[in-house]
């Protein structure tokens, strides 16, 4: 029991360190807001909204090719890891992580270079920054659902036009099955899929994605890998995260 307590205290201390480090990097000068905030309330939309994106609005001419995708989330995740409808060998693909019932889904573009070897999304320095970002909004990898737009890393680290249509339809189906209250998209390509515009155009407002099971509020921000290259933008990313959490409690 004593060893378990020590491990629990160490985990809490690590989470606290991640939180403080992210706040410091983002330029936060106070950790107390004027009003109390509940992190557990169901998501509600703030007043400033952007586009409403419909599932059929796929910006590609290749959308005539049918996709037979499972209607169950578990089966769909298995399909993503094995289907030949996606380019690339099945052995190079990574599954989503976290809790689909958490209410918060986070979508990145694809695994990073070291993720396959690490066996999970967002590993290394990128993952450590990502964990600090999660801690700043009262979450961790267990209390969020984290998925890639593409389950494998594309050649050159970019999704080309050939695969964009298929991945767009698969990602939108994924969100419809997961039914999160909030969707956080990180990077330009996920922003185009769920906000209907580039990351620069999508940031600063809440978008709405309509799907067969309802609607989801969408917030766009920078991918942590980009923030490592452009640390001055961490303050802007913090504003995005604050806007999203304010939408949860508005």
């Amino acid at each position: 029991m004593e060893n378990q307590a020590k491990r629990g205290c160490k985990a809490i201390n690590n989470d606290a360190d991640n939180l403080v480090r992210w706040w410091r990097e983002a330029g936060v000068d106070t950790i107390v807001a004027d009003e109390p905030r509940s992190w557990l309330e169901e998501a509600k939309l703030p007043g400033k909204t952007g586009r409403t994106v419909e599932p059929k609005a796929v910006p590609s001419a290749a959308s005539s090719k049918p996709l037979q995708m499972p209607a169950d989330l578990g089966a769909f995740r298995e399909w993503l890891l094995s289907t030949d409808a996606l380019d690339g060998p099945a052995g190079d693909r990574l599954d989503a992580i976290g809790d689909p019932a958490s209410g918060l889904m986070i979508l990145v573009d694809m695994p990073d270079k070291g993720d396959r070897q690490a066996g999970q999304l967002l590993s290394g320095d990128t993952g450590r920054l990502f964990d600090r970002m999660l801690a700043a909004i009262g979450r961790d990898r267990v209390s969020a659902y984290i998925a890639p737009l593409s389950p494998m890393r594309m050649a050159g680290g970019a999704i080309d036009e050939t695969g964009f249509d298929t991945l767009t339809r698969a990602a939108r189906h994924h969100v419809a099955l997961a039914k999160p209250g909030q969707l956080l998209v990180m990077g330009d390509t996920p922003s185009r899929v769920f906000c209907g515009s580039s990351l620069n155009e999508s940031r600063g407002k809440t978008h709405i994605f309509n799907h067969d099971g309802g609607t989801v509020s969408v917030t766009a921000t920078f991918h942590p890998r980009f923030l490592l290259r452009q640390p001055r933008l961490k303050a802007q990313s913090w504003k995005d995260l604050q806007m999203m959490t304010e939408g949860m409690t508005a």
Side-chain angles (χ1 to χ4, degrees):
M1 289 295 292
E2 182 178 353
N3 290 336
Q4 289 179 344
K6 288 181 178 179
R7 286 196 296 270
C9 290
K10 184 176 181 181
I12 292 172
N13 289 336
N14 287 339
D15 288 344
D17 288 344
N18 281 336
L19 174 60
V20 173
R21 287 184 66 186
W22 165 249
W23 276 341
R24 186 182 300 118
E25 291 168 358
V28 177
D29 56 8
T30 178
I31 60 173
V32 181
D34 293 331
E35 299 293 335
R37 174 180 297 165
S38 170
W39 303 103
L40 302 178
E41 289 186 10
E42 186 175 352
K44 299 177 183 178
L45 299 180
K48 189 175 181 181
T49 58
R51 298 187 181 189
T52 298
V53 177
E54 303 288 345
K56 63 182 180 180
V58 179
S60 171
S63 58
S64 59
K65 183 178 178 181
L67 271 183
Q68 300 298 323
M69 297 180 285
D72 170 78
L73 180 59
F76 174 75
R77 288 171 62 176
E78 292 179 3
W79 177 86
L80 281 175
L81 297 177
S82 60
T83 180
D84 58 7
L86 304 180
D87 294 331
D92 290 341
R93 303 179 190 184
L94 285 177
D95 191 14
I97 58 176
D99 181 9
S102 66
L104 172 62
M105 183 172 181
I106 302 174
L107 196 84
V108 297
D109 52 357
M110 67 182 75
D112 280 341
K113 286 183 178 179
D115 288 355
R116 185 72 191 110
Q117 184 175 1
Q120 69 168 2
L121 296 167
L122 297 156
S123 61
D125 290 341
T126 299
R128 283 185 281 275
L129 177 56
F130 175 73
D131 289 339
R132 294 198 290 273
M133 295 170 74
L134 284 182
I137 59 171
R139 299 273 186 161
D140 57 23
R141 296 188 187 222
V142 177
S143 57
Y145 182 53
I146 306 153
L149 183 66
S150 168
M152 80 286 293
R153 182 169 177 81
M154 296 296 192
I159 297 173
D160 59 26
E161 290 299 323
T162 303
F164 182 79
D165 171 72
T166 300
L167 291 171
T168 293
R169 285 183 283 163
R172 290 177 174 177
H173 186 65
H174 197 165
V175 171
L177 293 178
K179 296 182 176 62
Q182 287 273 355
L183 175 64
L184 178 65
V185 292
M186 292 182 149
D188 189 73
T189 303
S191 295
R192 292 181 184 276
V193 172
F194 286 98
C195 303
S197 55
S198 70
L199 175 60
N200 286 339
E201 296 172 308
S202 301
R203 288 189 55 252
K205 57 183 74 74
T206 298
H207 304 262
I208 299 171
F209 171 62
N210 290 333
H211 56 81
D212 290 342
T215 63
V216 59
S217 171
V218 185
T219 304
T221 194
F222 303 101
H223 193 292
R225 89 164 75 86
F226 183 75
L227 293 175
L228 288 176
R229 299 196 298 267
Q230 300 287 341
R232 61 184 177 82
L233 294 175
K234 288 178 181 177
Q236 296 300 314
S237 186
W238 172 236
K239 290 180 181 178
D240 297 333
L241 297 180
Q242 285 181 303
M243 183 183 70
M244 182 185 71
T245 55
E246 286 166 3
M248 292 178 179
T249 59

